[in-house]
Amino acid sequence: MATVRKTISLTNQQDAWITAQVEAGRFTNDSELIRDLIRREQERMAEIDNIRAALIDGEQSGEPQPFDFDQFKRHKLAQHKPG
C-alpha cells in the first residue's frame, strides 16, 4: 500500500501521550499509532452509518404495531418446550 507523508501539529500533552504509548510497547512508532487511531475511527463511523441507515429503515417501515409481550413470551416458551 502506498503511503503519503503528512506533517501534523500536536499539543505537548498529545505528543507525550503518543510517546508513552510507543515506549510502553503498544506501537512501534508514532505513525503506527496514528494509523491505528484512524482505522478505529473509520470503523466507528461505519458503525454509526449502519445504525443511521437502520433507524431510517425503521422510520420508513410504517406505523408501529401494538406488541403483546405476554403473548410473545408464551409463544417463545411453547417453541422451546421439551418434548
Side-chain angles (χ1 to χ4, degrees), residues 3-4 7 20 23 34 38 40 42 48 52 67 69 75:
T3 59
V4 177
T7 301
E23 288 176 355
I34 299 297
I38 292 169
R40 289 178 191 216
Q42 289 171 325
I48 289 171
R52 282 188 179 126
F67 182 77
F69 182 75
H75 175 71

Side-chain angles (χ1 to χ4, degrees), residues 9-67:
S9 300
L10 303 169
T11 65
N12 289 335
Q13 180 184 14
Q14 291 167 332
D15 185 52
W17 183 81
I18 290 171
T19 300
Q21 301 307 303
V22 172
E23 288 176 355
R26 292 184 180 96
F27 300 91
T28 57
N29 57 45
D30 297 10
S31 293
E32 183 184 350
L33 182 144
I34 299 297
R35 285 191 301 272
D36 184 64
L37 291 173
I38 292 169
R39 273 191 300 275
R40 289 178 191 216
E41 181 63 11
Q42 289 171 325
E43 290 170 359
R44 189 180 77 82
M45 292 304 297
E47 288 176 16
I48 289 171
D49 289 344
N50 288 338
I51 291 169
R52 282 188 179 126
L55 288 170
I56 290 168
D57 286 347
E59 289 173 345
Q60 294 176 348
S61 69
E63 290 297 314
Q65 302 298 313
F67 182 77

Side-chain angles (χ1 to χ4, degrees), residues 64-83:
Q65 302 298 313
F67 182 77
D68 184 340
F69 182 75
D70 290 328
Q71 180 184 4
F72 173 78
K73 187 175 171 183
R74 285 190 301 275
H75 175 71
K76 287 299 176 185
L77 288 172
Q79 270 185 329
H80 297 287
K81 197 179 250 185

